[in-house]
């Protein structure tokens, strides 16, 4: 099997899309809204407004993470389809 630059680009874009999803969807959500909610709860300052803002921010970050993964997947398919 001959490895071409397109196959390497397809693999790299798939890996970067997955790691991008993990960073934005996992790390940023846990570091941002989830940690702020946990700290507010422990301090006793948790309000419905803070909870609603955290849910909205988490939804936006997870949607962005899905978009990052989709771009990586589309690039992967682009390079795979043009390999032939």
């Amino acid at each position: 099997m001959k490895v071409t630059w397109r196959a390497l680009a397809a693999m790299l874009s798939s890996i970067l899309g997955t790691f991008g999803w993990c960073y934005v969807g996992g790390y940023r959500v846990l570091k941002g809204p989830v940690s702020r909610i946990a700290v507010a709860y422990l301090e006793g300052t948790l309000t419905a407004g803070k909870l609603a803002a955290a849910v909205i921010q988490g939804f936006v970050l997870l949607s962005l993470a899905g978009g990052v993964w989709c771009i990586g997947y589309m690039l992967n398919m682009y390079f795979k389809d043009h390999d032939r």
Side-chain angles (χ1 to χ4, degrees):
M1 182 174 144
K2 183 178 175 183
V3 177
T4 63
W5 71 272
R6 288 190 182 273
L8 291 175
M11 183 178 62
L12 181 65
S13 63
S14 178
I15 290 170
L16 287 177
T18 302
F19 282 133
W21 179 88
C22 290
Y23 174 72
V24 175
Y27 177 72
R28 295 292 295 183
V29 170
L30 290 176
K31 185 178 179 249
V34 173
S35 67
R36 281 196 296 273
I37 291 300
V39 168
Y41 176 75
L42 293 174
E43 290 176 346
T45 60
L46 181 62
T47 62
K50 285 183 183 180
L51 187 59
V55 167
I56 292 170
Q57 185 180 12
F59 178 76
V60 169
L61 285 172
L62 288 175
S63 297
L64 178 65
V68 168
W69 180 83
C70 284
I71 290 171
Y73 180 77
M74 286 187 288
L75 286 172
N76 179 16
M77 289 294 117
Y78 173 78
F79 287 121
K80 277 187 178 179
D81 288 344
H82 285 81
D83 196 21
R84 298 180 187 136

